[in-house]
Amino acid sequence: MLIALPLLAIPVVIYNIVILFGAGGGGGMAAADDILRQPMFSIPMASGASWNVGVGDLILFLSLILLFFELLKSTSSQKVAIVNHALSMILFVVCLVEFLLIRGFATSTFFLVVTMVMLDVLAGFIVTIISARKDLDFGGA
């Protein structure tokens, strides 16, 4: 049943921990941006420039990787996939409420995470509908 949990809940939980505990208990918008953009480490590039990587960048990177695996999971036609779609929809609603109502969540980083969760929801339902239609077409022949 663990496979039914949406993987994109991981970056959402990490973002919540970083913002709610790292910004002094849900500090303001400026505090959230500072936490997300503060460089954790720097990578020297061949051009001589250095690439500064912050917490927000790592959250987005993790989200993209997990979105890939969520899209792969959405192609499954098992019964657990429907539970996954429902939990993904609940996660999207929670993320949308946080984005709209809680200070510190109205950042570009969280908006992109919310967008990835929404794409997971849409892809899951679209793939399920298309595969169900194909099952009906083959069943009628």
Side-chain angles (χ1 to χ4, degrees), residues 9-55:
I10 296 169
V12 171
V13 168
I14 292 172
Y15 188 94
N16 276 280
I17 291 169
V18 167
I19 295 303
L20 295 178
F21 297 116
M29 180 64 188
D33 272 339
D34 288 343
I35 289 172
L36 294 172
R37 294 177 194 224
Q38 183 179 6
M40 291 180 61
F41 57 89
S42 182
I43 300 173
M45 304 303 286
S47 65
S50 67
W51 174 31
N52 296 323
V53 179
V55 175

Side-chain angles (χ1 to χ4, degrees), residues 67-88:
L67 177 62
F68 171 74
F69 288 110
E70 275 295 323
L71 293 176
L72 289 178
K73 277 179 25 178
S74 70
T75 61
S76 169
S77 60
Q78 299 173 353
K79 292 180 182 180
V80 74
I82 294 176
V83 175
N84 180 281
H85 299 327
L87 292 175
S88 293

Side-chain angles (χ1 to χ4, degrees), residues 27-34 103-108:
M29 180 64 188
D33 272 339
D34 288 343
R103 188 179 301 268
F105 286 80
T107 62
S108 295

Side-chain angles (χ1 to χ4, degrees), residues 2 7 22 34 42 48 58 66 73-74 94 96 109-110 112 134:
L2 200 56
L7 294 175
D34 288 343
S42 182
L58 292 177
L66 294 178
K73 277 179 25 178
S74 70
V94 168
L96 190 61
T109 301
F110 195 69
L112 291 173
K134 286 182 182 179

Side-chain angles (χ1 to χ4, degrees), residues 58-70:
L58 292 177
I59 291 173
L60 288 176
F61 180 66
L62 176 65
S63 300
L64 284 171
I65 292 170
L66 294 178
L67 177 62
F68 171 74
F69 288 110
E70 275 295 323

